[in-house]
Amino acid sequence: DAKTTQPNSMESNEEEPVHLPCNHSTISGTDYIHWYRQLPSQGPEYVIHGLTSNVNNRMASLAIAEDRKSSTLILHRATLRDAAVYYCILRQNAGNMLTFGGGTRLMVKP
Amino acid sequence: KAGVTQTPRYLIKTRGQQVTLSCSPISGHRSVSWYQQTPGQGLQFLFEYFSETQRNKGNFPGRFSGRQFSNSRSEMNVSTLELGDSALYLCASRKTSGGHYEQYFGPGTRLTVT
């Protein structure tokens, strides 16, 4: 399975934008990039996913590099409720299995 | 719409026993996946069921098994429990029609093996 690399932790100030990076240099042409987050004491929550083009939804934006070897999850205005572990995952087009890495623990300061 | 529900939420078992965990997916979701989460190994995929058939299986021993019923509800079973099986077991459901790939996770069942 293609692997992803994320920083272990990041800090942000409340109401400021946050850019969470993810490297996936061995991504194949049919792998989708998914982001999930896990708030304390909860199951993971879907955030966004994309294949080649940048994507926006009500939660976040996903910017995908032209060569697809990296991507960035953008939270436009961090709130205290956004403090969570964010996972960048590659999903093979043929399967539904999610391979989670270590994720990035995002801390939001008031 | 009700979310994914898992029962029980907490469970304490003794080494050597077996355990059955239950998952009810979101109404209309036909795919159910199971994951194990531990501090050491993180989140690991166990298996996925769709239309009562196992479609994918992770790298876990045969002591871990599952099944899915015609109403899409799923159960997973762990036999001959070991201390290392202590973990949070998460179930996720997915709507398979219309190209939906996002998975919706339940709150998990925390299993402690003593």
Side-chain angles (χ1 to χ4, degrees):
Chain A
D1 290 336
K3 296 283 189 269
T4 62
T5 304
Q6 300 176 254
N8 288 336
S9 63
M10 290 184 65
E11 263 190 13
S12 172
N13 293 317
E14 198 176 11
E15 299 192 6
E16 288 185 357
V18 182
H19 290 232
L20 297 162
C22 181
N23 286 319
H24 28 79
S25 58
T26 58
I27 190 171
S28 75
T30 55
D31 285 343
Y32 283 79
I33 302 159
H34 282 241
W35 284 81
Y36 282 75
R37 71 180 186 181
Q38 188 171 21
L39 280 66
S41 302
Q42 294 188 27
E45 174 188 32
Y46 168 81
V47 178
I48 202 167
H49 79 277
L51 182 61
T52 56
S53 304
N54 294 345
V55 185
N56 300 297
N57 66 20
R58 64 175 180 81
M59 287 182 69
S61 295
L62 175 60
I64 301 173
E66 197 169 329
D67 63 7
R68 301 209 328 125
K69 292 181 187 288
S70 65
S71 61
T72 302
L73 178 71
I74 303 164
L75 306 179
H76 296 287
R77 286 180 74 236
T79 69
L80 296 178
R81 289 189 67 252
D82 291 324
V85 178
Y86 286 78
Y87 296 98
C88 169
I89 301 159
L90 300 181
R91 181 187 62 81
Q92 295 179 333
N93 186 35
N96 189 41
M97 182 176 76
L98 298 178
T99 302
F100 287 82
T104 295
R105 182 173 297 279
L106 176 65
M107 292 167 279
V108 181
K109 298 183 292 184
Chain B
K1 193 186 251 189
V4 177
T5 58
Q6 294 187 243
T7 56
R9 293 291 311 279
Y10 302 91
L11 204 50
I12 300 175
K13 289 286 188 179
T14 304
R15 247 183 325 178
Q17 288 185 314
Q18 75 163 19
V19 67
T20 299
L21 312 180
S22 180
C23 171
S24 292
I26 292 172
S27 176
H29 288 197
R30 295 173 61 195
S31 165
V32 173
S33 298
W34 288 89
Y35 293 81
Q36 180 196 66
Q37 186 170 28
T38 60
Q41 300 297 318
L43 271 154
Q44 294 185 285
F45 172 80
L46 278 157
F47 26 66
E48 179 203 1
Y49 285 88
F50 174 75
S51 291
E52 302 176 65
T53 302
Q54 187 180 90
R55 290 217 296 195
N56 287 298
K57 189 176 193 306
N59 189 25
F60 279 82
R63 299 185 297 108
F64 291 81
S65 63
R67 59 177 176 168
Q68 187 180 34
F69 302 95
S70 59
N71 62 358
S72 295
R73 191 177 70 85
S74 177
E75 289 181 347
M76 69 162 281
N77 185 76
V78 188
S79 62
T80 319
L81 283 166
E82 300 177 359
L83 294 179
D85 297 333
S86 294
L88 181 67
Y89 290 89
L90 292 155
C91 162
S93 74
R94 180 172 75 91
K95 183 178 180 180
T96 51
S97 61
H100 292 268
Y101 291 99
E102 55 268 33
Q103 295 191 28
Y104 295 85
F105 285 79
T109 294
R110 184 161 298 281
L111 171 66
T112 301
V113 182
T114 62

